[in-house]
């Protein structure tokens, strides 16, 4: 009887062995059911250009996928595959990013990570000013600037900043602003998009339209408007010979340099918006105070670019005294110019009969009268 029992047991064992799982397939899933993603880490790749761009890459062992909740506004969570990255733009501030990770068994693990976005102050601020008469147009650039504001400087303590528009890394512009002639401080603030800013200021002079009388004393008159030709140099200087009929503080120094062309001189535009044309309705005489060291050399006053087809007009008057101020009178009434004719350019020339030998004269108080 014992032999029979032993044989049955051996048969059962051999049968079980013949029905085992094929090689390479393991039906034991206990290890899967107990697998948990671990060694979690986060990678925040935060841009430094004030764009607020953050790249988020979930990392961990055994992860089959992750979802990232940005912690900003109403942005929906985004599913991220292993090794992949998701990006989001943040304003400056503090945030909590939530990453839900799923292992190969489908189990979920939640981790939260603090995120701080801090914008940096813009650098390399560059502002371009362009005046058309008294109207100013501005453009500005700066590294890491998300915007600009402008205080024009002519509105008092209650002035409201004007916003310049543009894009990060590009050129920002602001609508043109028209001033009254004067001297101002322009304030341009470069914005990071956060708390950090960079402020630059510019003293600006808004010139009045160039016109007669010309006194060389006004802070808002551009005495350098126009230019010279043929080798002449001019500049506004302190009156070196105050006295007699001219005690003013500043005068115009005119140098006909050695070798300057006989036809050399200066030209001053008087057309709008930068100038006011000479109108013969206001008088036919141009009067000029002159200080020269020689008697007999002639100063030319020339009116050019006349209206209604009127040609250029030239008058020459010689100095009569040396080393003192005198007033020379140029009477354009001798030409019979119709009243109301305007001229858009004023020209001075000196001793146009020969080339320059280094002559120096001083001019002041150019006026118009009948």
């Amino acid at each position: 009887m014992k032999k029979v029992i032993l044989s049955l047991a051996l048969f059962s064992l051999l049968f079980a062995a013949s029905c085992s799982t094929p090689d390479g397939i393991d039906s034991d899933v206990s290890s899967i059911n107990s697998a948990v993603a671990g060694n979690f880490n986060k990678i925040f790749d935060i841009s430094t250009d004030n764009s607020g761009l953050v790249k988020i890459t979930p990392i961990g062992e055994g992860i089959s996928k992750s979802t990232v909740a940005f912690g900003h506004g109403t942005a929906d969570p985004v599913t991220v595959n292993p090794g992949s990255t998701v990006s989001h733009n943040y304003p400056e501030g503090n945030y909590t990013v939530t990453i839900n990770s799923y292992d190969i068994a489908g189990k979920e693990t939640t981790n939260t990570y603090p995120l701080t976005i801090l914008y940096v102050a813009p650098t390399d601020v560059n502002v371009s000013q362009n005046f058309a008469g008294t109207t100013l147009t501005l453009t500005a650039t700066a590294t890491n600037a998300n915007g600009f504001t402008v205080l024009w400087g002519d509105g008092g303590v209650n002035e409201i900043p004007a916003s310049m528009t543009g894009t990060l890394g590009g050129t920002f512009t602001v609508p043109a602003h028209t001033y009254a002639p004067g001297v101002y401080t322009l304030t341009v603030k470069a914005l990071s998009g956060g708390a950090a800013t960079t402020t630059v200021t510019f003293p600006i002079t808004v010139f009045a339209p160039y016109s007669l009388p010309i006194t060389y004393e006004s802070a808002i008159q551009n005495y350098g408007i126009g230019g010279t030709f043929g080798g002449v140099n001019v500049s506004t200087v302190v009156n070196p010979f105050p006295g007699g009929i001219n005690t003013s503080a500043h005068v115009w120094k005119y140098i006909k340099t050695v070798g300057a062309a006989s036809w050399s001189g200066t030209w001053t535009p008087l057309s709008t918006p930068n100038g006011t044309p000479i109108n013969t309705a206001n008088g036919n005489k141009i009067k000029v105070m002159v200080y020269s060291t020689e008697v007999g050399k002639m100063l030319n006053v020339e009116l050019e670019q006349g209206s209604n087809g009127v040609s250029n007009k030239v008058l020459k008057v010689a100095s009569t005294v040396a080393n003192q101020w005198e007033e020379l009178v140029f009477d354009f009434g001798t030409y019979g110019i119709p009243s109301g004719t305007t001229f858009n350019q004023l020209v001075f020339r000196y001793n146009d009969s020969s080339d320059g030998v280094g002559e120096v004269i001083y001019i002041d108080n150019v006026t118009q009268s009948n």
Side-chain angles (χ1 to χ4, degrees):
M1 184 66 177
K2 290 181 180 179
K3 291 180 179 179
V4 173
I5 294 172
L6 181 60
S7 297
L8 289 172
L10 180 59
F11 176 80
S12 298
L13 181 60
L14 292 171
F15 179 81
S18 67
C19 296
S20 63
T21 303
D23 291 342
I25 298 178
D26 189 354
S27 61
D28 183 1
V29 296
S30 61
S31 61
I32 296 177
N33 290 331
S34 63
V36 177
N39 298 327
F40 286 99
N41 193 10
K42 68 178 187 307
I43 293 181
F44 287 156
D45 183 3
I46 304 173
S47 64
T48 59
D49 63 357
N50 289 350
S51 66
L53 178 65
V54 179
K55 296 179 180 179
I56 304 171
T57 306
I59 293 179
E61 296 179 1
I63 294 175
S64 64
K65 68 176 182 179
S66 300
T67 62
V68 178
F70 301 109
H72 168 228
T74 60
D76 293 330
V78 174
T79 299
V80 183
N81 293 323
S84 296
T85 296
V86 65
S87 299
H88 188 73
N89 291 87
Y90 288 89
E92 184 175 81
N94 296 309
Y95 304 92
T96 298
V97 176
T98 301
I99 299 179
N100 292 332
S101 297
Y102 300 86
D103 62 23
I104 56 177
K107 292 184 179 180
E108 178 182 359
T109 302
T110 300
N111 288 278
T112 59
Y113 306 98
L115 173 64
T116 298
I117 303 299
L118 185 64
Y119 288 1
V120 298
T123 58
D124 303 320
V125 178
N126 181 50
V127 177
S128 296
Q129 304 175 30
N130 183 33
F131 268 102
T134 59
T135 298
L136 174 62
T137 301
L138 285 179
T139 60
T141 61
T143 302
N144 299 328
N146 269 296
F148 290 83
T149 60
V150 178
L151 286 175
W152 300 107
D154 61 352
V157 295
N158 296 319
E159 183 175 15
I160 299 174
S163 295
M164 304 181 77
T165 57
T167 57
L168 178 65
T171 299
F172 288 76
T173 60
V174 65
H177 182 76
T178 299
Y179 285 91
V183 179
Y184 305 98
T185 297
L186 176 72
T187 303
V188 178
K189 181 182 290 185
L191 309 177
S192 68
T197 61
T198 301
T199 300
V200 292
T201 59
F202 304 91
I204 60 171
T205 300
V206 182
F207 293 115
Y210 199 93
S211 63
L212 274 59
I214 305 171
T215 65
Y216 304 104
E217 303 294 341
S218 174
I220 58 173
Q221 188 71 78
N222 182 11
Y223 297 115
I225 194 172
T228 64
F229 54 91
V232 166
N233 292 330
V234 293
S235 60
T236 302
V237 299
V238 173
N239 186 353
F241 307 108
I245 64 170
N246 187 16
T247 59
S248 63
H250 296 90
V251 297
W252 204 36
K253 185 177 182 179
Y254 182 114
I255 304 174
K256 190 171 183 180
T257 60
V258 175
S262 60
W263 43 264
S264 61
T266 71
W267 59 276
T268 302
L270 298 173
S271 56
T272 55
N274 296 312
T276 300
I278 294 174
N279 191 328
T280 56
N282 298 322
N284 289 311
K285 294 178 181 178
I286 302 296
K287 298 179 179 180
V288 183
M289 288 188 182
V290 177
Y291 186 103
S292 63
T293 59
E294 302 173 272
V295 174
K297 289 187 176 180
M298 292 187 175
L299 177 68
N300 294 19
V301 172
E302 305 179 11
L303 305 182
E304 298 184 346
Q305 301 177 11
S307 62
N308 301 318
V310 175
S311 62
N312 296 345
K313 304 301 178 184
V314 180
L315 286 178
K316 305 178 183 183
V317 177
S319 60
T320 61
V321 295
N323 301 316
Q324 69 180 62
W325 286 100
E326 66 175 321
E327 185 174 68
L328 304 182
V329 179
F330 300 80
D331 187 0
F332 286 91
T334 58
Y335 281 110
I337 303 170
S339 179
T341 298
T342 59
F343 292 91
N344 287 332
Q345 187 157 277
L346 175 65
V347 171
F348 287 103
R349 294 197 291 153
Y350 184 65
N351 191 31
D352 68 353
S353 62
S354 62
D355 292 345
V357 293
E359 299 100 319
V360 177
I361 63 170
Y362 296 91
I363 293 174
D364 199 11
N365 297 322
V366 183
T367 60
Q368 182 180 10
S369 67
N370 289 313

